[in-house]
Amino acid sequence: MSRPELVAPPEIYYGDIEAKKYTNNTRVQQIQADMTYRALELLNLPQDEPAFLLDIGCGSGLSGEILDEEGYNWVGVDIAPSMLEVALEREVEGDLFLHDIGQGFGFRPGSFDGAISISVIQWLLNAETSHPTSSPPHRLTRFFTTLHSALRNPSRAVLQFYPTSDDQIQLITSIAQKAGFGGGVVVDYPNSKKAKKVFLCLFVGSGGAQQVPK
Amino acid sequence: MVRLITHNLLACHAKGCTTNNFPLKLQDVVVEVREAEFNADFLRGFLPRIEWTALVNAAKELGDTSLPLEMPEMVDDEFLKNLHHVLLEIHVDEGAMVCPNCGHKYPIMNGIPNMLLAEHEIG
Ligand SMILES: [Zn+2]
């Protein structure tokens, strides 16, 4: 099967049918749930303060439902209207926005206590048009710069994604660093081709003082 | 499903629009009130992040005048209940948010604001 980000842009790929298929696939649901819990673990939020989170590429609300269950208030953004419609049908609690993260965010400085993203930012690596503002480095720079500003100091963003090469990891982390983030990459199950998961754990300031959990 | 908690955090992000781009003006709105779970700790933690005047004015535009014009120094239960309602229970289902500076209109349909920019508006 081809990787979806190589077939078409996400708002096209996740049309009505794909959006429902994706959301109702129990294997997808289980993997998404596992990665969401892992992302929350890596986010390492203080136990005693209820947090306000940003879900980047919230899709049909699979991760949002977990954020609801865990008692977080959250905002979700996604570029695929069909996915957001499914999220509405599922009655998630978060506020939903139709948004292209490669265009950057407009959230005021320090808006969020943390951000998560599950299986999304690899989409930023594909140029959709030849227009200079569409080049992956441009889009990544706008994304990371405005995300950094939207997060409180200290806080973290944990972004799980599917890189196809070490060069892609290198490109993404170097642009995140230029945008002011600390932190780095955590790889779960590095020796399993199937189970391997890459999490970009980004820190604003000290990231909450603790080290990246192993 | 956009609520005032997020409206209060949102500035215009069109290219070159960096001053007077907050708060976005609510236009032709249809609202719906939906109960949400009350959490005093969350509200107390969120309070320092609020642009108070923008919140009071936006609430007024949506027909709620329960908040004091100045953020109170003493936070009591009644105030928190009102704040909870304004931030988390009033949903804007239809309408638009308009930038006071560049005039960009972010339409809200079926509860979802469309934040997409045209090519020439991307920074
Ligand atoms: Zn503007």
Side-chain angles (χ1 to χ4, degrees):
Chain A
M1 198 177 78
S2 303
R3 298 172 67 99
E5 68 271 22
L6 301 177
V7 176
E11 70 277 24
I12 308 293
Y13 183 81
Y14 293 113
D16 290 343
I17 294 165
E18 281 299 330
K20 288 221 164 64
K21 234 174 30 186
Y22 185 84
T23 312
N24 294 331
N25 181 320
T26 47
R27 196 174 144 264
V28 166
Q29 282 176 7
Q30 188 55 50
I31 295 170
Q32 285 270 328
D34 290 347
M35 292 192 297
T36 305
Y37 285 117
R38 179 64 171 141
L40 285 172
E41 187 183 11
L42 292 167
L43 212 51
N44 206 10
L45 293 160
Q47 288 293 320
D48 43 349
E49 300 159 33
F52 190 60
L53 303 180
L54 178 62
D55 185 352
I56 300 160
C58 61
S60 54
L62 292 172
S63 43
E65 279 186 345
I66 291 170
L67 299 181
D68 286 342
E69 277 165 28
E70 299 287 312
Y72 296 111
N73 280 301
W74 56 278
V75 171
V77 300
D78 204 281
I79 196 175
S82 305
M83 291 292 243
L84 291 171
E85 242 163 72
V86 179
L88 277 183
E89 282 169 24
R90 291 156 66 90
E91 298 187 326
V92 293
E93 301 280 337
D95 283 2
L96 306 170
F97 287 85
L98 179 63
H99 194 98
D100 177 357
I101 57 172
Q103 296 185 346
F105 297 107
F107 296 111
R108 288 199 284 113
S111 288
F112 297 99
D113 299 301
I116 64 163
S117 177
I118 305 298
S119 313
V120 172
I121 61 168
Q122 68 271 5
W123 291 98
L124 288 172
L125 294 164
N126 300 288
E128 283 156 31
T129 67
S130 58
H131 199 280
T133 58
S134 294
S135 79
H138 257 91
R139 290 169 58 75
L140 285 163
T141 300
R142 273 193 307 268
F143 168 67
F144 282 119
T145 311
T146 54
L147 174 63
H148 185 272
S149 145
L151 291 167
R152 292 179 77 188
N153 184 358
S155 69
R156 291 182 184 187
V158 177
L159 317 171
Q160 179 274 328
F161 72 112
Y162 291 110
T164 48
S165 67
D166 287 346
D167 284 354
Q168 288 193 342
I169 296 180
Q170 189 55 41
L171 175 70
I172 286 184
T173 46
S174 74
I175 294 177
Q177 276 163 7
K178 269 188 220 140
F181 282 109
V185 167
V186 172
V187 183
D188 287 356
Y189 310 108
N191 299 320
S192 160
K193 211 178 159 196
K194 269 200 161 153
K196 182 177 168 180
K197 295 287 178 299
V198 178
F199 293 85
L200 187 58
C201 297
L202 300 175
F203 296 179
V204 177
S206 64
Q210 298 100 332
Q211 293 299 305
V212 174
K214 286 278 153 16
Chain B
M1 292 221 316
V2 61
R3 295 171 292 181
L4 291 189
I5 188 169
T6 38
H7 172 264
N8 196 259
L9 298 173
L10 206 58
C12 179
H13 67 299
K15 184 179 186 176
C17 193
T18 50
T19 53
N20 188 33
N21 60 346
F22 172 89
L24 301 175
K25 196 165 166 33
L26 292 161
Q27 204 178 62
D28 305 325
V29 291
V30 177
V31 299
E32 186 188 338
V33 171
R34 250 176 287 162
E35 244 175 76
E37 205 172 315
F38 179 77
N39 184 334
D41 289 338
F42 173 75
L43 295 167
R44 282 177 208 276
F46 197 79
L47 207 47
R49 255 172 271 185
I50 297 173
E51 285 277 351
W52 192 254
T53 307
L55 182 66
V56 172
N57 289 339
K60 207 194 289 172
E61 284 173 45
L62 301 185
D64 189 296
T65 53
S66 63
L67 296 178
L69 292 181
E70 306 250 330
M71 196 191 286
E73 281 175 22
M74 286 294 290
V75 172
D76 61 20
D77 275 0
E78 197 202 333
F79 168 73
L80 286 178
K81 289 254 155 67
N82 290 337
L83 182 65
H84 166 76
H85 180 71
V86 166
L87 285 179
L88 298 166
E89 295 191 323
I90 307 174
H91 295 252
V92 179
D93 277 344
E94 305 288 334
M97 296 184 288
V98 183
C99 174
N101 183 46
C102 74
H104 183 98
K105 190 171 174 176
Y106 300 96
I108 303 169
M109 275 174 297
N110 201 9
I112 298 176
N114 180 341
M115 306 306 289
L116 302 177
L117 300 173
E119 197 69 60
H120 69 276
E121 295 173 309
I122 303 170

